[in-house]
Every structure is written in C-alpha cells, then in structure tokens.
Amino acid sequence: MNIQAKNFIGGEWVVASEGASDINPSNTGDVVGEFARASAAEAEAAIAAAYDAFPAWSRSSIQLRHDILKKVGDEIIARKDELGRLLSREEGKTLPEGVGEVVRAGQIFQFFAGECLRLAGDKLPSVRPGVEVEITREPVGVVGLITPWNFPIAIPAWKIAPALAYGNTVVFKPAELVPASAHALSEIIIRAGVPEGVFNLVMGRGSVVGEAMLQSPKVSAISFTGSVPTGRRVAQSCITADPMKKLQLEMGGKNPLVVLDDADMSVAVECAVNGAFFSTGQRCTASSRIIVTEGIHDRFVQAVSERLRTLVVDDALKAGTQIGPVVDQNQLDQDLKYIRLGQEEGAKLVAGGELLSRETPGFYLAPALFTEVDNKMRIAREEIFGPVATVTRARDYDEALEIANDTPFGLSAGICTTSLKYAGHFRRNVEAGMVMVNLPTAGVDYHVPFGGRKGSSYGPREQGRYAQEFYTTVKTAYSFDGNGPYVPKTKGSE
Ligand code: NAD
C-alpha cells in the first residue's frame, strides 16, 4: 500500500508501517487516499512530544496563540469549497452540508483566537485581614482528543481550538473512517506555526491509539465524542488511571421533537424532515423520535411522508442531492437491522427504508419513517444513527412531555407549537442539554455551550466560553501583604 498521508508526531511527519484506505461512500470504487495507522509506540511518542512541549506552550504569549488560531481559521474559511468537497467525498454528507461544516470549523478557530485574549480571573478580598485572594485559570496539560466520523472537521475543531487557546498541548486521534479531513485540518494547524510537539496527529485504531492515550500517565485529560459503549470504556479507564484523568464525554442521542395540535404545519414538517433526515440522520442531535398529539397526527404524518418521497437521495457531490449515502457498510447494516426490527416490533413503515441504486455503487438508503410506535419499542429507545425516524402518538401536551423525557438520553429536544405557554413549559421541563422551539433539534451555534444530560454526556460542556471549564484548571492563590493585620490608631496611642 502506498501510504500518502502520514501522522504528525513531535514536529515531524512520520511514516507508518500500517495504513488503511479511505473509501467514498457515494462511490465505493473511489479511494480518497491511503492513510497511516499509528502503532501504540507511535501514539506513545506523540504523547511524549506533547508532554515535553507543554511547559513552554502553557506559558506562551496569548498574542502568539491568538495569531496561530486566527491563521488556522482564516485558511479553513478561504479553502471552504475544496475542504468541503473532500469532507463530503469521504463522509457522504451533501456538498452544501460539507462546505457549511468547514466554515463552522473556521469560525470556531476564529472564536477561540479571540478567547485567547479574553481569559480572565477574579481578585477578591479575603475574610482574613491583610490577605488577598486571586483565582486564575491554568491549562490542564496534555489533552487527548478522540473524535467520531460524523463531523470530520467541526468536532476536531471544537476540541483542538480551545485546547490550544488555553495553553494545552494536543494529541488528536480522529475516527478511522474520516482521516482525510483530519489530515487536511492538521496540515493547516501545523502551517500556522504551532511549535514542535504542541499539536500531534495520530490516525489509527481506537483499540490501539485511543487505548494508548487512555493508559498514559502523561495525558492529563481526555475529551471524547462517540458512542455510548466506547464512552463508558473511556470513562472507566480515565477514572481508574493513576493519576485520574479529567474527562469530557459527548455521546449518543435519541432526541424528541414534539409536535402539538397548534403547530404551524409547514414549520413542523420542516423541523422534522431537516432534523431527522438531513446529514443522512447521522447526527447525535437528530430528531429521531417525533411525538405528535392526536389532533394533528394524521395530517402531519401524511405531509412528512409526501415530503420524504420528494427528497433526492444521491451522490453527496452531485448538485441537487439532498440526502447523501450512509457512511459505510457497517452503519448501513445497522440501519437495515433496525428497520426490520421496527416491523417485527409492530410499528408501521409508512415511507422509505429500502436500498436505492444510483449511478455509482454506494450505501444509499431511502429515508424511513415509522408510525404507530410505542415508546417502549427498541426503535424508539436505541440510537440507530441513520435516516430512520419514529412517530409516537400522544393524547396531549402532558403525555407528549412524559414520552419525550422517557429515554436514557438527554442531548437535544424540540417542540413545534404556537403556544407561548407550552413552549415555556417545555423549555423548563424537558430533560435535555439543548432545547429548540420551532427549530430542528439539530443545528447549533458555535459561541454557546453544547452538550447534554443523562446518558448523552458526562463532564463539562463543549464550545463557547464554557469550553474553559474542561480545558483549564482553577488555581486559588492567597497572598499576605507582610504588614500584618491593619490596626487603626486610637487617640492617645501616638
Ligand atoms: P465510536 O464510539 O465508535 O468511536 C468514536 C471514537 O472513539 C473513534 O475515534 C474511535 O476510533 C475511538 N475509539 C474506539 N474504541 C476506542 C477505545 N477502546 N479507546 C479509545 N478510543 C476508542 O463512535 P462513532 O461511530 O465514530 O460515532 C458515532 C457516535 O458518536 C454516535 O453514537 C453519535 O451519537 C456520537 N456523537 C455524539 C456527539 C455529541 O456531541 N454528543 C456528536 C457526534 C457524534
């Protein structure tokens, strides 16, 4: 195999003995490239380089960090079309979605460039005389960043940018399925001038590279985004490690979208179709559970089904494609397994669910909608992570809210209603980290916190200013001014 794309370890591009092909899911005959797969020893070398680089980088000037991150953000945005095309080619989301994700990654770097200049602390009086208290934030150390395949550039960006901004050094392990976007992003970061060892790219297997990061005492913190089972494994390792590692987990979702009788029908249909099926339903925030009250149920199901039949499922890079292919054969098998399971469980498949053939061999699946879904069914409880959504009937708002909260997950939740009363009540009472009113459950801003509750997330939030909770550690410093407690002079004491 001719491995064109190498890992970046300790300031050098390193040849690997093993590699893997990156395949285009819209056309399995198209190989995007051959990418290095790091060994455990290479992962350890990257960790050691990051460890050695930490003291100098943690004290580097905030102007330097700002300039590097700004440069990264600017180059990403300037090359959005080319990078978006690469992303869509390897992951399968449509070209506009790919370009949009690239722009988002650039904006995140620009945002955190600004954050370098805004890091602040607190100075407080002490309860003891002559003492002052200063609270400052310091970087954590070497951070291991483990990312999934479904946002190949945005998720790495929202971990790498704050990690570097706050003075940490980085070992970045992208998902096996999407090394090309990770590699392109890494080239930009390196070109922007990060000093040797500060940023390291180690493409490779989770069981090899990921495990090496979890086992190394030189890694102080792990930020992980991926599935619940892997997240649990990561958590166990971090908590039993000596010393324990700081930990941030963003995992799966089974996000409810509630549609009430008084909803604006066109808004509700748009929220459901966009939220459940765009990006081929492969978003942790996808509206995979749609909960609809009696009065609007049948009209809503009919309108969504009609809309699904008009969606263009095709090659991600083709103009006019609205839904790209599923990412790979494993994910397609999982989607088909759940489509069969839903039928066996007694749900009604009212649209899609069949394999589609297109000009090129790819993983094309017609977006599937199930109705008559009981919230106890496995298709309503387990994350499928594909273009498959369920509709569950609810008597009224109260029952809809109860069903929305009856899930092990708690990432995002949405409601479509024209009632201020129900919108306000839902915002306050739904058990999710993010709530959307008359908006799809997917689609978020980059300058505000992102994350969930219950089985979806663990640890501090990502993104926006809240990212500093994970990427910094707080120091409380007490200083005594040396003069002793101030004693006011009293008459006659001179
Ligand atoms: P995954 O859990 O299979 O893999 C995620 C990452 O973990 C990959 O880089 C993988 O190589 C690595 N990994 C695997 N085994 C490991 C191990 N033993 N030690 C360390 N690392 C290991 O997830 P995926 O299939 O890439 O992504 C899909 C999942 O990600 C879905 O469940 C989705 O909901 C979730 N996701 C969550 C969010 C969020 O912010 N909540 C965002 C995007 C995706």
Side-chain angles (χ1 to χ4, degrees), residues 90-124:
E90 79 167 346
E91 197 269 352
K93 63 184 63 171
T94 66
L95 193 51
E97 288 171 333
V99 173
E101 185 183 331
V102 167
V103 171
R104 170 57 54 100
Q107 290 166 332
I108 289 167
F109 273 94
Q110 290 172 338
F111 174 83
F112 281 105
E115 285 299 281
C116 295
L117 308 178
R118 285 190 284 267
L119 194 59
D122 288 314
K123 195 159 189 174
L124 304 172

Side-chain angles (χ1 to χ4, degrees), residues 300-375:
F300 172 81
V301 166
Q302 194 184 348
V304 172
S305 309
E306 274 166 20
R307 182 76 202 288
L308 289 186
R309 280 187 267 280
T310 69
L311 287 180
V312 181
V313 182
D314 208 331
D315 187 322
L317 297 177
K318 243 190 197 174
T321 295
Q322 290 168 293
I323 309 278
V326 170
V327 73
D328 73 347
Q329 187 66 52
N330 284 340
Q331 184 60 51
L332 183 64
D333 291 345
Q334 170 154 318
D335 298 345
L336 292 171
K337 181 190 92 179
Y338 276 103
I339 290 169
R340 275 195 305 276
L341 182 70
Q343 290 165 304
E344 285 161 20
E345 287 183 303
K348 193 168 155 200
L349 184 63
V350 291
E354 70 277 10
L355 288 175
L356 302 170
S357 66
R358 293 292 178 258
E359 263 169 47
T360 47
F363 308 111
Y364 299 108
L365 178 61
L369 187 71
F370 278 103
T371 59
E372 310 309 325
V373 176
D374 185 297
N375 200 47

Side-chain angles (χ1 to χ4, degrees), residues 15 20 50 126 128-129 134 146 189-190 200 236 238 246 261 328 330 344 372 374 401 437 481 487:
V15 191
S126 165
R128 287 172 283 171
E134 202 175 62
I146 304 177
I189 294 170
I190 293 153
N200 301 273
Q236 261 168 5
C238 289
K246 197 170 182 184
D261 287 356
D328 73 347
N330 284 340
E344 285 161 20
E372 310 309 325
D374 185 297
L401 177 65
V437 176
D481 66 13
V487 183

Side-chain angles (χ1 to χ4, degrees), residues 145-151 155 158-159 173-177 204-214 224-231 233-234 237 249-253 282-285 331 383 385 411 434 450-452 456-457 462:
L145 307 179
I146 304 177
T147 56
W149 50 262
N150 65 326
F151 283 95
I155 292 182
W158 82 51
K159 293 186 192 294
K173 193 215 100 53
E176 291 91 318
L177 284 176
R205 291 197 177 84
S207 56
V208 178
V209 176
E211 283 296 333
M213 287 156 72
L214 299 179
F224 165 88
T225 301
S227 62
V228 173
T230 316
R233 160 96 199 84
V234 169
S237 295
L249 303 174
E250 283 302 337
M251 300 172 286
Q282 298 173 153
R283 293 187 285 193
C284 51
T285 48
Q331 184 60 51
E383 185 184 50
F385 216 55
L411 188 56
M434 295 173 291
F450 176 96
S456 290
S457 304
E462 298 202 83

Side-chain angles (χ1 to χ4, degrees), residues 140-145 163 168-172 213 219-222 470-471:
V140 175
V142 175
V143 295
L145 307 179
N168 303 281
T169 55
V170 167
V171 179
F172 166 40
M213 287 156 72
V219 175
S220 300
I222 296 280
F470 178 73
Y471 291 101

Side-chain angles (χ1 to χ4, degrees), residues 49-60 139 167 169:
Y51 188 79
D52 291 345
F54 177 70
W57 181 249
S58 64
R59 292 185 190 98
S60 60
T169 55

